[in-house]
Amino acid sequence: MRLKIYQTGEPVLRRKARPITVDELSGQPVQQLIDLMRETMRDAPGVGLAAPQVGVSIQLLVVEYTPDLLQGLPLSVKEERGCAPVPFQVIVNPVLTVKPDAGEATFFEGCMSVSGYAALVRRPLAVRVACLDEKGERRTIDAEGWYARILQHEVDHLLGTLYVDKMYTRSLMTRDYYLRNWHTKSLGEEEVDRFTTPEGEAP
Ligand code: ZN
C-alpha cells in the first residue's frame, strides 16, 4: 500500500514535528507507519521520506539509496555529487550537526512534496546525526556527500522547512526540464554562477 504524499501548501509540512517516545516507537501504529513509509518511498521512487510528508507530525524519517537508483548516472557525476548506495534506515528524533570543515557544495535537489520541480541548493558536505533506530537503539550516523544532503533535506522536513526555503530561486526549473538537461550532467562553478547570478552582474 502506498501512502498519500502531502504537497506543499498542507500546513503539516510547515509544522515542527514532535519527538516520539521509545514506547510509542515500539507500538504497532508507528511500526506499521515505518513499513508503509518504506513502501511509499520505494514505490515513488525516492531516497528519503519524512513522516510529515505523509501527514504525520512526528520526528521519524526513512532513507535508502539503492544501487538501482544510481544506475543511470555516469561515474564522473556520481563522484562529483558524492553519490553512493545507502542501506535502508529508520531515523527517529534526530539531532543533526554540521561538520563545517568539510565545506559546502551546490547541486540540484527535488522533493516529493514539491512535486514537479528541481532547484539548486547549497548545503554542507558532511554531517553527524544522533538518533534512535526503529528498535529504539541510539545511533550516531556520520555522513558525507549525497548521503549528508539527503539527511539534511529529510531532517529539515521535521523542522517544517522545505528545500525551496534554501534554494537559489533563479535555478528553479520543472523536474522534466531538469531530467532532460541536468540530471546526468556535471555541474561546475560556472554553471552554478549562471543559475545564481543575474546576467551582467558579478558572481
Ligand atoms: Zn522532501
Side-chain angles (χ1 to χ4, degrees):
M1 197 184 99
R2 186 179 165 167
L3 298 168
K4 172 185 156 187
I5 298 178
Y6 285 55
Q7 295 300 308
T8 183
E10 293 277 2
V12 68
L13 290 167
R14 291 309 197 170
R15 230 174 267 151
K16 280 202 169 76
R18 67 173 174 84
I20 56 173
T21 63
V22 173
D23 273 356
E24 199 178 357
L25 172 58
S26 60
Q28 207 253 341
V30 170
Q31 289 297 314
Q32 191 181 21
L33 177 65
I34 290 170
D35 288 344
L36 291 173
M37 283 173 62
R38 182 178 55 218
E39 278 183 50
T40 304
M41 173 176 65
R42 285 179 177 167
D43 193 50
V47 295
L49 186 65
Q53 292 184 273
V54 294
V56 184
S57 194
I58 60 174
Q59 291 183 17
L60 166 71
L61 61 92
V62 294
V63 297
E64 183 181 46
Y65 204 164
T66 61
D68 266 12
L69 287 176
L70 273 161
Q71 237 171 22
L73 290 177
L75 183 62
S76 59
V77 168
K78 276 189 261 195
E79 280 175 0
E80 182 181 276
R81 295 179 195 167
C83 289
V86 177
F88 177 75
Q89 269 178 329
V90 177
I91 294 173
V92 176
N93 301 345
V95 176
L96 182 145
T97 46
V98 166
K99 298 181 183 176
D101 293 349
E104 299 191 329
T106 303
F107 289 114
F108 282 103
E109 219 171 284
C111 177
M112 291 192 281
S113 293
V114 188
S115 193
Y117 292 94
L120 289 173
V121 183
R122 185 173 177 84
R123 291 193 189 269
L125 276 167
V127 297
R128 170 169 285 183
V129 174
C131 61
L132 303 178
D133 68 10
E134 68 273 29
K135 293 183 182 125
E137 304 282 342
R138 284 183 188 284
R139 291 270 178 265
T140 303
I141 300 166
D142 288 300
E144 292 178 0
W146 207 260
Y147 186 17
R149 179 172 290 263
I150 296 169
L151 290 174
Q152 290 171 75
H153 178 116
E154 298 307 329
V155 171
D156 273 352
H157 274 300
L158 305 182
L159 302 169
T161 298
L162 299 173
Y163 85 88
V164 293
D165 304 338
K166 300 182 168 180
M167 71 178 176
Y168 288 105
T169 51
R170 295 176 60 89
S171 69
L172 182 68
M173 59 182 66
T174 63
R175 180 171 164 75
D176 188 47
Y177 187 90
Y178 164 74
L179 288 175
R180 274 188 286 115
N181 296 282
W182 288 102
H183 183 55
T184 59
K185 284 231 186 79
S186 172
L187 190 71
E189 243 172 75
E190 249 176 68
E191 284 85 13
V192 171
D193 284 347
R194 228 191 301 145
F195 278 116
T196 55
T197 313
E199 207 174 275
E201 286 180 25

